[in-house]
Structure formats: C-alpha cells, structure tokens
Amino acid sequence: MTLQIPFDNSYATLPDSFYARVSPEPVKAPSLIAINTPLARELGIDGLDDPDVAEVFAGNTVPQGASPLAQLYAGHQFGQYNPQLGDGRAVLLGETVGADGIRRDIQLKGSGRTPFSRMGDGRAWLGPVLREYVVSEAMHALGVPTTRALAAARTGERVVREQPLPGAVLTRVAQSHLRVGTFQVFSARGDTKALQTLFDYAVARHYPDAADPASFLNAVMRKQAALIAHWMSFGFIHGVMNTDNCSISGETIDYGPCAFMDSYHPETVYSSIDRYGRYSYAAQADIIVWNMAQLATALLSLMPDPEASVEPFTAQIHTMPDMIRAEWLTRFAAKIGIANPTPDDARLVTDLLTLMQVSDADFTNTFRGLVDDTARDQFDDPTGFDQWSEGWKARIDSEDGSQAVMSTANPVLIPRNHRIEEMIQAAVLGDDSLFHRLNSAYSAPFTPNPALADLQHPPRPNEVVQATFCGT
Ligand code: AMP
Ligand code: MG
C-alpha cells in the first residue's frame, strides 16, 4: 500500500486504564466522499492516490503504524454526571507530529462498536458526518480553533435511526481528544495516580508552561474564554456543551446539533434535545464557566491539601466571567470597526444587538452590512439603526483602519443551517455536489464572491430549519 501516515503515537503508551484497544469494524462497501488534501499534507501523509484510501478511511484497513484504541472519559450531560462514557463510536488511530511541531490525533468517527458503546451501534449516518465535515472546516476558515475533517467515506451499509439511513465514517483531526470528562473519570474514581499521569500528559502536550494544577486550569480557562467569544462573534451555537464535549486544548469539538444563527436572538436554540435552553446562544458564556468549575473540581485531588484548595480554586473560577467579557468585547468591537475598545464601547455593541433582536435582523448580514453600508436594509424600520449609526460613525471617525478591522471580523458567508440540510438531503440521494460546493464556498468566508451570493441569503420562511438533531 502506498498510503503512508507518519504515526508517532503517545496516548497508546499511557496505562491500560486510559483506553480499550479496539480496531474499527469493517464495513460492506467503502467509498470515499472527500479527502482534505491540504490537511493531509500538513500532517505529512503521503500516497493519497492509493486505491485503498477508502478502505482506510472507512475503517476496513488499519494503516501501518496505527495503534487503534477507544479513549475512556466521563462527563456531565445536561448537568447530570455520567461516570462512564468513552469513545462509543470512535477509534483513535494514532497521532502525527506535523511540520509545525504540533502533535495531532487522527480519529475515525462512526467506525463501529467499542467497549464504551453501551446501547449504541457505534455508527454514524451520513448527515452528521457531512455536517461535521463542512462546519468544522468552515470554522477553521473563519479562524476559530477547531478539530478538522480529514476524510469522509460512505460505508455502503444502512444505519437505523428513526429510519434506515446511509452510514458514513468521518476522519477527524484534533490537537488532542482530551476532554474535561477525561479528568473527571479518574477523579471520580479516586484514581489519583492515573489523574496525575493524565495531568502530566496534558501539560506536556498542551501547556508546557503550566507548572501546577492552578496554572493549568488558568490556561484552559483562557483558551475556552477566547473560544466561546469567538463562537459568539459568528453566531455559532455548539448545542451540546457537556463536559465530555469540552476540549482541554481549547478547540471546538464534537459537532452534533450545532448551528449558526440567522436572525439574532440571544436565546436561540436549535438542538432538538436541548429542551430548556441550557446551551442556547447566550448561555454558552455561562455554561463554560460551569464546565471549568467541573475541571477545577477534578483537579482538586492533585493538590497536597484538596480541602484547603477549594477556596482558591473557586476564586479562580470566579475570574472567568470577566475573562469572557474582555474576549467578547474584543471580538464584537472589531465587528463594528474598533480594534482597541474601551469599556464604553460595549454599550455601542449591545445597543446594536438590541436593535437587531427587536427587528429579527440577520446576524451575519447586519454586521457585514456595516462594511458596505447595507446594514440599514436589514431593518424594517431603520429609525433606530439610523440613530445608532450616527453615534457609531462619530466613534469610529477617530479609529484607523476600521474598514479593514470590520472586513476581517464579519464574514460574508457562514454555513447556514438550511444550506447544510439541503446538502445532506441531496447526499442521502447520492448527490454530493452541494457538499463539495459548500466546502469550497466556506473556505474563503470573508471574501465577497458574486457567484456565491445565494449562500448569503437567510432562509425563506419555508426553508427555516427549526431543529437540528444529534447523530446518535
Ligand atoms: P456525543 O453526543 O457524540 O457527544 O456522544 C455522547 C456519548 O455517546 C459518547 O460516549 C459517544 O461515544 C456515545 N455515542 C453516541 N452515539 C453513539 C452510537 N451510535 N453508538 C455508540 N455510542 C454512541
Ligand atoms: Mg461527545
């Protein structure tokens, strides 16, 4: 076989209690949907013209150098602690170290049952695989830290959900799949030795400057604060911010019923399973603090005197809302052309958001409209906007390069939900052309392109997607 993945595996050298060794389950008729050639190159992968590539990325052939395993973790799901989750439908093939010196996981998702599958079939259907592929690559192009999509393959098998649907496997790449829930599982079991091993591994891999649990916690908090503000600046709603879906590296991970908002409303929820809005657009900034408190709790047992550390750890967690506010202000001030905001500028942003909310204005098109003077068109009655605009223009008069600042903070294109749904429906019928079109369109989201104007429009009333569903 000519396909060569330069594996350099470290997780597989950790103690047995961290994972279960398991190979992907073969499927009937693998066929490749897409392979991300630039990403493959970054990972040092060679020989992509190998006729067996589909076999590898559907899980039928384990590539040379892989040490396939399913990782153990736990997590709070909608606030309820689940003591054992783990990769129930994913297998880590191994890691590569890129030319940039960064170690990355290569993982198959939807690759069959593992010892952590519980009642599940270990499979994924085509819809969530293609959604994760398109949305994670779009997030990357938007500049948001995220797992990447390396490949997608059909399995030639059906998976049964509400109805039989075509099965698929996603190959994804992450700086690691360490989650808050990975720390929780060992902490909850009282396995301090394993927790210490995990801590040392995570520090070496992600935060080599973090000397102790408190500075490690701080480093993760900083990454997550920046991440959530970045999401919010594009109207992104993750949908399932359980602690097992919250990455230690600070990347967006586990795309499920995620979506980008069309018209602005802070309480927007798309996920069909989020009935109480725990993970609504605006709630994300609060829930991440809760998630970091769970990480802090898990880290306590690494302290010489855990009891005495509760207070300082709590105080540390209480610094996070301000961290998020600062990140939020930086991101949103840039959206209105202010590179170096003062605290007063927050008001200018929230005033605009309030106007947008009242008018059901499109989030993306209103902000982008500030760049080309079309924002006003987003309001049925522009009186309020005109007033706001006067104050805004006076403020940015004194700013240098505000046009450039706005152009790089306000995308022309986001993966709108109705486009994703349309793409999935076509792919289920065997037509992947929309999938390829979206991937290519979203690779340059800040560049206006008349040929892609149709992708800028919000959904017509009959196109609105009210709810998104997990792949489970
Ligand atoms: P997720 O909603 O993707 O974050 O998954 C939550 C947990 O359920 C993880 O432990 C998954 O591995 C597991 N899981 C989700 N779908 C399946 C499935 N079809 N088969 C087995 N396990 C699954
Ligand atoms: Mg998950």
Side-chain angles (χ1 to χ4, degrees):
M1 135 169 266
T2 56
L3 180 71
Q4 301 262 347
I5 306 178
F7 283 111
D8 175 354
N9 305 333
S10 65
Y11 208 79
T13 68
L14 293 173
D16 289 349
S17 60
F18 282 57
Y19 50 77
R21 291 199 187 270
V22 55
S23 288
E25 282 183 323
V27 298
K28 214 189 279 168
S31 65
L32 202 61
I33 301 166
I35 182 130
N36 188 338
T37 319
L39 177 60
R41 217 173 291 128
E42 280 175 47
L43 299 175
I45 298 177
D46 261 341
L48 285 175
D49 47 357
D50 193 318
D52 273 353
V53 162
E55 301 284 330
V56 170
F57 294 115
N60 282 19
T61 304
V62 174
Q64 205 184 1
S67 346
L69 57 86
Q71 291 176 313
L72 170 72
Y73 53 85
H76 278 89
Q77 299 180 301
F78 290 90
Q80 290 283 344
Y81 186 65
N82 190 327
Q84 189 180 297
L85 292 163
D87 292 331
R89 53 164 164 176
V91 165
L92 176 69
L93 290 177
E95 302 135 41
T96 63
V97 180
D100 54 7
I102 297 177
R103 175 178 294 280
R104 291 186 179 82
D105 283 3
I106 301 180
Q107 191 205 57
L108 301 183
K109 186 172 172 184
S111 52
R113 290 181 52 83
T114 77
F116 307 120
S117 295
R118 296 171 291 158
M119 304 302 281
D121 60 2
R123 292 295 178 193
W125 76 273
L126 185 63
V129 165
L130 297 186
R131 177 187 279 116
E132 178 156 354
Y133 195 115
V134 171
V135 177
S136 66
E137 286 303 304
M139 289 285 265
H140 174 73
L142 286 164
V144 182
T146 177
T147 60
R148 305 283 309 273
L150 178 61
R154 282 187 174 76
T155 60
E157 294 176 359
R158 299 251 143 194
V159 295
V160 180
R161 295 297 179 256
E162 282 87 30
Q163 49 180 313
L165 292 159
V169 176
L170 177 77
T171 306
R172 79 176 170 188
V173 171
Q175 297 217 0
S176 85
H177 286 85
L178 296 179
R179 305 145 189 275
V180 170
T182 321
F183 283 81
Q184 288 181 287
V185 74
F186 296 119
S187 166
R189 289 178 178 184
D191 189 345
T192 312
K193 191 164 167 243
L195 189 63
Q196 185 67 51
T197 303
L198 174 66
F199 176 77
D200 294 341
Y201 179 84
V203 166
R205 190 158 172 182
H206 297 300
Y207 304 104
D209 298 332
D212 52 34
S215 43
F216 174 78
L217 177 62
N218 200 54
V220 181
M221 282 164 53
R222 289 203 163 280
K223 281 274 172 79
Q224 286 289 344
L227 180 69
I228 275 46
H230 214 162
W231 286 358
M232 293 180 78
S233 77
F234 298 133
F236 178 76
I237 306 167
H238 180 283
V240 203
M241 286 176 69
N242 293 337
T243 57
D244 53 299
N245 294 339
C246 186
S247 113
I248 294 298
S249 75
E251 293 179 305
T252 313
I253 192 171
D254 278 12
Y255 290 84
C258 61
F260 286 78
M261 213 167 23
D262 294 301
S263 56
Y264 174 71
H265 197 293
E267 283 161 33
T268 305
V269 174
Y270 287 102
S271 166
S272 62
I273 55 171
D274 189 3
R275 262 170 297 164
Y276 304 104
R278 181 181 169 90
Y279 302 134
S280 72
Y281 171 76
Q284 300 182 114
D286 301 323
I287 216 71
I288 194 59
V289 179
W290 193 89
N291 285 356
M292 290 298 101
Q294 307 316 309
L295 177 61
T297 305
L299 291 170
L300 272 180
S301 38
L302 292 178
M303 302 303 284
D305 183 350
E307 202 62 31
S309 302
V310 172
E311 220 182 279
F313 271 38
T314 307
Q316 203 179 324
I317 291 295
H318 285 161
T319 64
M320 199 175 176
D322 276 343
M323 247 181 225
I324 298 172
R325 265 190 286 277
E327 296 284 354
W328 180 91
L329 182 57
T330 304
R331 290 281 168 205
F332 276 82
K335 290 177 81 66
I336 60 169
I338 302 169
N340 297 298
T342 67
D344 285 347
D345 292 323
R347 184 63 196 271
L348 205 51
V349 175
T350 52
D351 282 352
L352 176 59
L353 289 171
T354 304
L355 288 168
M356 287 164 63
Q357 180 180 340
V358 170
S359 299
D360 278 331
D362 186 80
F363 183 83
T364 303
N365 292 348
T366 303
F367 279 109
R368 184 68 198 193
L370 298 176
V371 178
D372 55 19
D373 262 330
T374 58
R376 188 177 192 271
D377 307 343
Q378 301 295 325
F379 299 86
D380 291 335
D381 171 7
T383 323
F385 177 80
D386 288 341
Q387 260 173 10
W388 177 85
S389 184
E390 267 179 49
W392 170 59
K393 287 195 167 133
R395 169 67 183 86
I396 60 166
D397 235 13
S398 59
E399 287 283 310
D400 287 334
S402 57
Q403 197 69 12
V405 170
M406 286 193 289
S407 306
T408 49
N410 297 325
V412 180
L413 291 178
I414 47 145
R416 292 184 187 267
N417 225 353
H418 65 297
R419 292 301 183 186
I420 299 283
E421 289 298 331
E422 179 186 45
M423 172 276 285
I424 290 173
Q425 283 178 26
V428 167
L429 300 176
D431 175 3
D432 294 345
S433 59
L434 287 179
F435 166 77
H436 294 296
R437 177 170 191 246
L438 293 188
N439 268 323
S440 143
Y442 301 147
S443 67
F446 296 99
T447 313
N449 179 348
L452 303 173
D454 59 311
L455 300 181
Q456 281 177 254
H457 298 311
R460 284 188 287 269
N462 64 322
E463 293 175 323
V464 173
V465 177
Q466 305 290 358
T468 49
F469 299 86
C470 271
T472 47

